[in-house]
Amino acid sequence: MKVAYVTTDHPVAGHDDEREIVLAAWYGAGIEGSPAAWDDPRVDWSSFDAAVIRSTWDYIDSRDDFVAWAGRAGTATRLFNPASVIEWNTDKTYLRDLGVPIVPTCWGSPGARFSEKGSSEGGFPDWDEYVVKPAVSAGARGALRTVDRVAAEKHAAGLLDEGRTVMIQPYLRTVEHEGELSLLYFGGQFSHAVRRHPMLSDAELTTEDRATLRDPDDDQFALAERVLDQCARRFPGEVPADLLYARVDLVRMPDGEPVLMELEVVEPYLFLRYELAAPDMFAQALVELLRR
């Protein structure tokens, strides 16, 4: 089987330290993997038995083009994850539709006033500390963390003026000691979980400090499974059958309740270096999906 490891020629792909791990695991499973840039017009996607999106981390600068590419690639070969899921998950407004507990969020759309269920009409949220970010983003790009309400409002207004949908959330101090928990699933099966230190934290971290292997608690497992179930309901026939990989990022509220921060099913970092069995499990999940 010949499978494309979908990446980009953009320098951001230089941070991908999982490529060789994945390609080696694929080779061991009988898969011939080769890197291919999503925006390279010379690539013939029909020459592959499948294409797996991995380090396409420049897509946020041209989301419409990326979504259009996914649609084309998905008709030429089997795309993982499916194009319909890619379009949905590249805009964080999907969080409004999942029907699961999420970090409290005030949404602002270009040309409209901010709104939040339960708040006053058009009111800006009143929190001790803010995180303001665009709905199409990755790696905290375009995000601002501040205790200054005026600065938060100004940053939000600037994003709206650029025609971008805005998310305003409270900064959860619990992440400073609890961290963020990422649960990794391959082919619908749980693989491993890591505790990630928050990207907007005050702490200075080394590369080794950024994540540690962690066993999720029962309530975290339950929420992650509920998130994936809700995703499957949105895409009957595609998920979980064709959901090769998923990363469910959770945090705890001050009262201890786990809530969803993000569901990553486009191009998530998979923390394959943290669990010895994970690369082979990822490869085997791909083999099983291709056999169906």
Side-chain angles (χ1 to χ4, degrees):
M1 292 180 285
K2 186 178 178 182
V3 175
Y5 181 102
V6 186
T7 181
T8 176
D9 289 329
H10 190 281
V12 70
H15 298 290
D16 182 5
D17 63 358
E18 295 191 321
R19 179 188 296 187
E20 297 309 315
I21 296 174
V22 170
L23 293 179
W26 285 0
Y27 183 78
I31 297 172
E32 178 188 346
S34 56
W38 71 270
D39 55 351
D40 185 346
R42 298 168 298 178
V43 176
D44 177 9
W45 299 102
S46 66
S47 68
F48 295 99
D49 295 300
V52 178
I53 299 173
R54 292 309 310 123
S55 49
T56 58
W57 297 326
D58 61 335
Y59 84 84
I60 63 171
D61 296 323
S62 49
R63 175 182 176 260
D64 290 346
D65 291 340
F66 183 67
V67 169
W69 163 81
R72 294 192 302 272
T75 61
T77 188
R78 293 190 66 179
L79 182 67
F80 296 101
N81 285 319
S84 55
V85 176
I86 300 306
E87 180 174 11
W88 172 72
N89 195 238
T90 48
D91 186 328
K92 292 181 178 61
T93 54
Y94 72 82
L95 289 166
R96 298 184 296 195
D97 306 323
L98 273 176
V100 300
I102 66 172
V103 176
T105 304
C106 176
W107 301 90
S109 300
R113 302 178 70 185
F114 291 108
S115 63
E116 181 189 21
K117 185 176 181 180
S119 68
S120 58
E121 179 71 21
F124 199 86
D126 185 18
W127 290 317
D128 293 334
E129 192 166 8
Y130 300 89
V131 173
V132 183
K133 57 188 177 183
V136 178
S137 181
R141 289 179 61 180
L144 172 71
R145 172 189 167 192
T146 180
V147 296
D148 186 337
R149 175 174 175 147
V150 174
E153 292 177 336
K154 183 177 179 179
H155 187 63
L159 292 172
L160 290 173
D161 289 343
E162 294 173 2
R164 307 174 78 177
T165 298
V166 176
M167 305 169 64
I168 305 170
Q169 299 175 324
Y171 182 76
L172 301 177
R173 283 282 172 180
T174 50
V175 300
E176 296 292 341
H177 56 82
E178 178 74 21
E180 302 170 7
L181 187 74
S182 293
L183 292 85
L184 284 301
Y185 290 79
F186 301 138
Q189 300 298 312
F190 175 73
S191 170
H192 61 290
V194 296
R195 176 189 183 273
R196 297 188 299 121
H197 292 275
M199 300 191 71
L200 297 177
S201 171
D202 292 328
E204 301 214 3
L205 306 171
T206 65
T207 302
E208 293 74 17
D209 290 332
R210 294 192 182 278
T212 53
L213 206 60
R214 177 66 61 88
D215 291 329
D217 295 328
D218 289 344
D219 58 351
Q220 293 168 322
F221 263 128
L223 178 55
E225 296 289 343
R226 182 178 169 190
V227 169
L228 294 177
D229 180 66
Q230 288 296 101
C231 181
R233 290 173 183 270
R234 292 194 61 84
F235 300 97
E238 295 182 75
V239 177
D242 287 340
L243 198 62
L244 171 61
Y245 53 85
R247 197 182 86 195
V248 185
D249 296 341
L250 308 179
V251 293
R252 287 194 183 276
M253 295 295 291
D255 64 0
E257 178 193 16
V259 297
L260 177 67
M261 177 166 281
E262 288 191 43
L263 168 63
E264 298 269 12
V265 291
V266 179
E267 33 62 73
Y269 190 76
L270 301 176
F271 298 95
L272 297 177
R273 295 180 180 275
Y274 293 79
E275 172 54 60
L276 291 177
D280 289 339
M281 183 174 180
F282 182 44
Q284 190 57 41
L286 177 58
V287 169
E288 291 177 2
L289 285 173
L290 289 176
R291 286 173 176 168
R292 293 179 186 176

